[in-house]
Amino acid sequence: MKISSLFTSLFASLFLIVSVRAQTVYYVAPGGSDQHPGTREKPLGSVEKALSLVSSAPQGEVKLVLRKGIHYLVKPLQISAAELNGHILTIMGEEGEQVVISGARAIRPKWRSGKGKVLQAYIGKYLGVDQLFCNGRALAMARYPNIDSSARFFHGSSADALSKTRIRSWKNPAGGYVHALHYAEWGDFHYRITGKYGEDSVLLEGGWQNNRPAPLHEEYRFVENIVEELDAEGEWYYDRKSGMLSLIAPAGIDPAKAQFEISQLDNLITIKGDSSNPAQHVKIHNLHFTGTNRTFMHDREPLLRSDWTINRNGAILVEGAKDIEITNCTFRELGGHAIFVSRYNRNIQLRHNLIEFIGGNAIAFVGDPAAVRSPLFRYEQTQTVEEMDLEPGPKSSNYPAECLVYDNLIHDIGRIEKQIAAVQISMAMDIRVSHNTIYNVPRAGINIGDGCWGGHLIEYNDVFNTVLETGDHGAFNSWGRDRYWLPSVEAVDSVVARYPQLPFLDMIKPVVIRNNRFHCEHGWDIDLDDGSSNYEIYNNVCLNGGLKLREGYKRKVTNNIILNNTFHPHVWFKKSQDIFKHNILFSSYAAVRIRDWGSEVDSNLFVQPGALEEVRKFGTDRHSVAGDPAFVNPLAGDFRVQAGSPAERIGFKPFSGSEFGVVSVTLKSRALRPQINLMA
């Protein structure tokens, strides 16, 4: 052996020994003790204690291995750059074991009979009880109307939820809640009842959850946490003054044998630093997160001129961090958001997670408005060019960038908040959202709230059963009410004619939407709304709602399949540079106030008889054709075209329809698939 090879081998062996020695492992078990050393045989009793040992451990990797059972947190875990002290940290559940981190605490009610079917137990006075769990499932607060799983809105809503007659029946509704849709079904509002005035009116605080103020919807509303409405199986009410918990037991449950818990925390883990000293090299793996409070009353911060306000929190909050991985985790029965990535973050990877049955957003990337040049915060606000900062791009690095959302199964979210998404992106750059399956959501599956600052890649996602409880929205939705945008189309035409680069000062990189399957129930499968600019959209299958482009610039839409619907061009600016070609669609365009047809609308295939003749009246589609595209097996999701299809004549390039959604075996076995229908 050569001397150089010998030294290389010895160095590698020495490096391996040092690496092994540098790995410190602490075990934690629900039955352990914080007086133990943290070995497998003598585990610590709390994650908090284990975390406190990280900073003083030998330099290298520190693993906190949690054993099976429920780890109830007394307070959220805080992971800062100082506490990491240069270590690489992994918090993980033991492989093959069910490890739960909960924001609730167990209670052991001693039930006694009350009035009718009501059971009562004293659990202590003045507790913060926002959610009651029975055998791990959240029960409904006493409410009107009662839960109806078949109802479209809120699992039950009624126009008389706040009727004078009903209010008269409430002795003291203080502490109750009013939940309602926006009058135009653009999200939701929530109010806390602070008391009564007179016999038939209530005092309310709240309504700040939507950035487009409006009256409450007159029909789609309900009330909860009012004792007089305790009348259905599975409902409960807690009286803070008396300390009494009242319950009508769920069907099939023996309350004496059931496990009950009450939520205590809004947040379970916070990883926090800043751009100058980020928290970094943290991995969270194989854990089940549950038991947090609902946080709908905390949604106050407006996200620029989108329709949203937000609460920067979640079961896991990541802020000011780099190189963070959250993998193979389950987020279930949470009151608020699951994962919130706030302000400065780089290389946050969220992979192979299951997120289901939660109150708010699944995953949110939200930057700092202070990083935006000339920001505005309400739809109707305007500014002149002379008032603007005309430098392109962000003002600072205080936003998420270069992050990944890959192979996550997300469904049945937004159970209480309706202005939510499975993946929300606002004031961020270069976010890749790939191979996720998303369904059963009240509003968008994927939402981009503004044009700050683009570079996102949305690919191979399966997004369906969306916009179930709201309207006028998309399975994929975006807004672009950026520096250049004004509510007046004519005003934008005028200012952009003088300053052609204005629409691209914020959206500095194109957003690519490719190889996805989208389905929207009450809107558009792809909805680029109000100024959304600089998009490339290709190789997508739209199953139901069609594709809409409203007010914006430089949108290139090519090689998409739009089933059962059509292209919806709405209110285009002059010289928009928009392109729509090589697409397959069913019917003629649903145009709204189009004066200028962009750069090119042509070479498309229309399925319905007469559709091509209709669109040519707009002066478009000179080279388009009509006919049956001859899909291979559309009802099975195979939208390749057979040889000789008229799609070949328009330049359509077939693409595989078998790669949508999650890829890991475990998640694929759980994921649903959309039902595909074809109109006659």
Side-chain angles (χ1 to χ4, degrees):
M1 179 181 291
K2 293 182 179 180
I3 297 296
S4 60
S5 299
L6 178 61
F7 275 111
T8 300
S9 178
L10 289 172
F11 179 80
S13 300
L14 181 62
F15 179 79
L16 179 62
I17 293 170
V18 171
S19 297
V20 171
R21 287 177 179 172
Q23 184 181 93
T24 304
V25 181
Y26 295 108
Y27 288 88
V28 185
S33 169
D34 284 350
Q35 306 306 311
H36 286 168
T39 62
R40 181 183 287 272
E41 296 76 21
K42 292 187 175 181
L44 295 165
S46 71
V47 189
E48 295 93 331
K49 177 62 177 179
L51 192 59
S52 72
L53 301 175
V54 172
S55 64
S56 58
Q59 280 298 312
E61 182 178 7
V62 180
K63 284 188 176 181
L64 309 186
V65 181
L66 281 55
R67 302 302 306 276
K68 65 181 178 181
I70 303 176
H71 297 255
Y72 291 108
L73 299 183
V74 176
K75 60 182 180 179
L77 302 175
Q78 304 289 326
I79 302 172
S80 69
E83 288 161 328
L84 289 168
N85 193 24
H87 293 86
I88 298 170
L89 173 64
T90 297
I91 305 176
M92 61 178 290
E94 181 75 284
E95 294 297 336
E97 296 186 358
Q98 176 75 10
V99 181
V100 178
I101 293 183
S102 177
R105 71 175 177 89
I107 58 172
R108 294 172 176 79
K110 296 181 179 179
W111 299 109
R112 54 185 174 85
S113 297
K115 184 178 180 181
K117 295 182 179 181
V118 176
L119 301 174
Q120 291 188 313
Y122 178 79
I123 62 170
K125 297 181 179 180
Y126 300 106
L127 301 178
V129 183
D130 180 68
Q131 294 213 84
L132 174 68
F133 302 96
C134 176
N135 295 338
R137 182 172 66 90
L139 301 180
M141 283 180 168
R143 55 169 282 165
Y144 177 81
N146 295 330
I147 291 284
D148 176 0
S149 59
S150 67
R152 178 183 165 193
F153 302 102
F154 294 115
H155 291 305
S157 60
S158 176
D160 70 340
L162 285 175
S163 69
K164 294 183 180 299
T165 300
R166 185 157 296 279
I167 293 172
R168 288 191 198 104
S169 71
W170 304 335
K171 182 179 179 181
N172 180 16
Y177 296 105
V178 177
H179 308 276
L181 281 193
H182 186 284
Y183 187 81
E185 299 182 16
W186 297 342
D188 52 339
F189 295 105
H190 307 270
Y191 291 85
R192 182 183 290 109
I193 301 173
T194 60
K196 289 178 71 171
Y197 67 94
E199 292 295 317
D200 53 17
S201 299
V202 289
L203 298 166
L204 301 173
E205 66 172 359
W208 42 67
Q209 297 86 0
N210 199 298
N211 203 29
R212 297 288 294 275
L216 302 186
H217 200 285
E218 294 179 353
E219 181 179 356
Y220 306 136
R221 51 175 68 180
F222 79 100
V223 294
E224 66 171 354
N225 205 33
I226 298 171
V227 67
E228 287 85 359
E229 304 299 347
L230 181 62
D231 61 357
E233 290 181 345
E235 288 187 354
W236 61 277
Y237 178 80
Y238 169 67
D239 188 311
R240 297 179 72 249
K241 290 184 178 179
S242 69
M244 297 299 295
L245 176 64
S246 299
L247 171 74
I248 299 179
I253 296 293
D254 181 351
K257 298 179 181 179
Q259 178 187 23
F260 290 94
E261 299 160 303
I262 54 175
S263 63
Q264 299 291 283
L265 304 178
D266 295 349
N267 161 249
L268 302 178
I269 297 178
T270 293
I271 303 171
K272 194 165 188 178
D274 56 44
S275 59
S276 61
N277 188 24
Q280 55 188 327
H281 304 306
V282 177
K283 182 174 183 178
I284 297 172
H285 176 72
N286 193 36
L287 296 171
H288 180 136
F289 296 93
T290 191
T292 56
N293 295 320
R294 302 175 305 170
T295 55
F296 56 87
M297 289 302 292
H298 301 317
D299 290 349
R300 289 175 177 260
E301 180 187 341
L303 294 186
L304 300 184
R305 289 195 283 180
S306 82
D307 292 0
W308 284 47
T309 64
I310 200 73
N311 167 45
R312 290 181 187 266
N313 209 344
I316 298 180
L317 172 64
V318 184
E319 182 169 304
K322 288 177 60 178
D323 303 325
I324 308 297
E325 296 182 40
I326 301 172
T327 61
N328 296 86
C329 291
T330 295
F331 297 81
R332 180 185 295 129
E333 293 292 354
L334 300 168
H337 314 317
I339 303 171
F340 202 105
V341 182
S342 174
R343 300 189 173 95
Y344 174 84
N345 285 280
R346 298 294 183 270
N347 191 31
I348 311 302
Q349 299 198 20
L350 313 175
R351 297 181 278 111
H352 320 307
N353 300 293
L354 170 63
I355 304 176
E356 60 183 1
F357 308 117
I358 68 171
N361 294 281
I363 296 166
F365 296 91
V366 181
D368 191 329
V372 179
R373 298 181 187 276
S374 303
L376 297 175
F377 293 91
R378 288 286 294 275
Y379 175 95
E380 64 275 8
Q381 286 182 307
T382 62
Q383 58 188 331
T384 65
V385 174
E386 290 71 24
E387 294 172 306
M388 291 181 198
D389 177 346
L390 294 178
E391 287 293 317
K395 190 160 56 173
S396 75
S397 63
N398 207 16
Y399 56 88
E402 301 163 12
C403 298
L404 174 66
V405 181
Y406 177 76
D407 187 39
N408 300 280
L409 173 55
I410 302 170
H411 67 91
D412 292 276
I413 64 173
R415 293 200 298 177
I416 189 67
E417 300 177 43
K418 305 307 173 186
Q419 192 71 279
I420 62 93
V423 181
Q424 161 70 358
I425 300 171
S426 177
M427 297 171 285
M429 189 189 298
D430 297 330
I431 309 298
R432 181 184 173 198
V433 182
S434 178
H435 279 291
N436 303 283
T437 297
I438 297 165
Y439 55 87
N440 294 353
V441 298
R443 205 141 171 77
I446 300 171
N447 187 75
I448 297 179
D450 49 64
C452 306
W453 289 274
H456 313 308
L457 176 58
I458 314 297
E459 62 175 359
Y460 296 106
N461 300 287
D462 202 5
V463 185
F464 58 98
N465 291 1
T466 63
V467 195
L468 293 177
E469 297 183 65
T470 57
D472 192 17
H473 208 52
F476 172 87
N477 184 84
S478 67
W479 290 293
R481 301 166 189 156
D482 305 325
R483 268 181 276 181
Y484 87 93
W485 186 84
L486 300 164
S488 165
V489 176
E490 292 75 17
V492 173
D493 285 342
S494 175
V495 72
V496 173
R498 290 183 288 131
Y499 302 94
Q501 289 305 309
L502 208 57
F504 310 107
L505 294 182
D506 290 311
M507 188 63 104
I508 58 175
K509 296 182 179 182
V511 172
V512 175
I513 304 174
R514 68 184 183 192
N515 300 101
N516 303 280
R517 181 164 59 187
F518 292 114
H519 173 278
C520 177
E521 281 289 335
H522 302 98
W524 297 271
D525 296 336
I526 298 177
D527 182 2
L528 270 59
D529 205 8
D530 288 0
S532 299
S533 299
N534 208 3
Y535 277 76
E536 298 175 11
I537 303 172
Y538 58 92
N539 291 9
N540 300 284
V541 177
C542 297
L543 294 177
N544 186 63
L547 187 152
K548 169 189 156 192
L549 301 182
R550 184 183 174 97
E551 302 166 358
Y553 291 91
K554 203 176 180 182
R555 284 83 59 93
K556 185 177 182 181
V557 181
T558 60
N559 220 73
N560 300 281
I561 299 171
I562 303 174
L563 301 176
N564 305 320
N565 211 300
T566 189
F567 177 41
H568 297 253
H570 289 190
V571 199
W572 283 10
F573 298 130
K574 290 181 178 179
K575 298 182 180 179
S576 67
Q577 307 175 56
D578 289 337
I579 294 172
F580 184 83
K581 61 188 301 185
H582 309 312
N583 302 288
I584 299 173
L585 61 163
F586 268 50
S587 53
S588 60
Y589 302 147
V592 176
R593 292 175 55 198
I594 297 296
R595 308 158 301 157
D596 185 305
W597 282 89
S599 293
E600 188 174 10
V601 179
D602 200 359
S603 300
N604 300 296
L605 169 59
F606 293 83
V607 176
Q608 284 191 338
L612 177 57
E613 289 75 11
E614 286 296 317
V615 301
R616 281 181 172 165
K617 294 177 183 178
F618 298 125
T620 64
D621 293 279
R622 179 182 175 188
H623 301 97
S624 295
V625 300
D628 183 346
F631 295 127
V632 171
N633 191 354
L635 296 181
D638 188 343
F639 291 100
R640 292 173 299 163
V641 296
Q642 301 176 41
S645 165
E648 295 174 349
R649 305 206 308 270
I650 63 163
F652 180 83
K653 297 179 180 179
F655 56 92
S656 173
S658 62
E659 300 177 349
F660 304 127
V662 291
V663 296
S664 56
V665 174
T666 301
L667 295 180
K668 284 185 76 170
S669 69
R670 298 182 62 118
L672 299 181
R673 295 173 65 84
Q675 182 177 345
I676 298 174
N677 299 300
L678 292 181
M679 62 191 296

